Amino acid sequence: MTLHRFGNTSSSTVWYELAYIEAKSRMRKNDKVWMIAFGSGFKCNSAVWECIRPADQPDRAWAGCIHRYPATNYHSSI
C-alpha cells in the first residue's frame, strides 16, 4: 500500500511502511520489526526496532486517508 500511495521512494520506503503499520494499529508493545533497505549502488542498511508503546496517532503521511487502505480496487500497471 506504501507503493500504491507514494510510488517508489527507494530505500526510504521502509519508513513509510513502518508508518503504515503504526497507522493501522498493528504494532503492539514488545513487537519487533526488522527493516532492510537497499539504496542505489552498493548500499544496504538493516535495523531491528522494538515497539515500546503503540503510536497515539497515525503519521502525517497517512492521516486522513488510512481508512482507504488496503485498496480493494488496486490494479497493477504491470
Side-chain angles (χ1 to χ4, degrees), residues 3-19:
L3 289 172
H4 179 263
R5 174 151 167 73
F6 301 104
N8 184 0
T9 57
S10 190
S11 59
S12 65
T13 299
V14 295
W15 294 105
Y16 289 97
E17 291 170 3
L18 184 57

Side-chain angles (χ1 to χ4, degrees), residues 15-26:
W15 294 105
Y16 289 97
E17 291 170 3
L18 184 57
Y20 176 75
I21 292 168
E22 289 177 335
K24 286 303 232 180
S25 300
R26 297 210 173 122

Side-chain angles (χ1 to χ4, degrees), residues 45-65:
N45 292 303
S46 171
V48 175
W49 297 91
E50 182 175 357
C51 181
I52 57 173
R53 65 175 176 79
D56 297 330
Q57 299 175 7
D59 184 85
R60 290 183 312 187
W62 292 100
C65 69

Side-chain angles (χ1 to χ4, degrees), residues 10-11 37-45:
S10 190
S11 59
F38 297 95
S40 60
F42 189 69
K43 294 182 201 165
C44 177
N45 292 303

